[in-house]
Structure formats: C-alpha cells, structure tokens
Amino acid sequence: DPNWGRIIAVLGAQHHVACNFKKLHIRFGGHSVLRNGTPDMRRLGAAKKALQRGHVCIDVSLGVGAAQARFLTTDLSKRYIAINAGYPT
C-alpha cells in the first residue's frame, strides 16, 4: 500500500528535519501520490503496482533546499518477520 500518510506522520514528528508541507512531493516507483502537499489519487493504483516489484524507489522531496540522501531498506512483510522470529536474540 503506498501509504504516503505514514511518511508525512514521520516527517511531522521529526523536529530536526526541515519540511515545507505545501511543497512536499512523494513518489512510489516514479508515480507521484502527493504533489505540493496535495494527494493525487489517480496515481495510487500505479504506485501500488510499483510496490509489488522486487525493488522500488520511494522518493520524498521536502520542498526545502537541494540536498539529497539515499538509503536502502528491506521488506518487513509478515513472512519475513515470521521467519526471523524463530531466532534467539
């Protein structure tokens, strides 16, 4: 699910991250689901399909400055968690 609301919630909770919510853009697999702080519901279907691929880029433009950052994360699906829950910590 291209849950752009969760991304916005995390941004709002970060006091050390500058963000202009009126210029915020969020893209899943190149499909804009939020432009200038406004949801683009027409692109949700395409974004949802993009999330089903093996690799997907989630791009968030904060609307301030030109700096960039990139990081790699993993899928925390129910299956992934179930497989790893059996390991002792």
Side-chain angles (χ1 to χ4, degrees), residues 7 10-11 55-60 68-74:
I7 294 172
V10 170
L11 290 172
H55 293 90
V56 63
C57 178
I58 300 173
D59 181 40
V60 179
Q68 294 183 354
R70 179 177 280 182
F71 66 93
L72 180 65
T73 187
T74 186

Side-chain angles (χ1 to χ4, degrees), residues 32-45:
S32 294
V33 295
L34 192 79
R35 293 180 189 202
N36 292 321
T38 302
D40 186 349
M41 305 307 276
R42 299 168 299 159
R43 307 301 295 159
L44 285 179

Side-chain angles (χ1 to χ4, degrees), residues 24-88:
L24 185 65
H25 285 13
I26 300 176
R27 291 177 282 284
F28 289 86
H31 304 284
S32 294
V33 295
L34 192 79
R35 293 180 189 202
N36 292 321
T38 302
D40 186 349
M41 305 307 276
R42 299 168 299 159
R43 307 301 295 159
L44 285 179
K48 190 172 185 175
K49 282 185 181 180
L51 288 173
Q52 303 203 356
R53 292 184 282 196
H55 293 90
V56 63
C57 178
I58 300 173
D59 181 40
V60 179
S61 175
L62 302 176
V64 293
Q68 294 183 354
R70 179 177 280 182
F71 66 93
L72 180 65
T73 187
T74 186
D75 176 17
L76 294 177
S77 65
K78 289 181 182 180
R79 184 168 187 266
Y80 175 86
I81 293 169
I83 290 169
N84 288 285
Y87 295 121

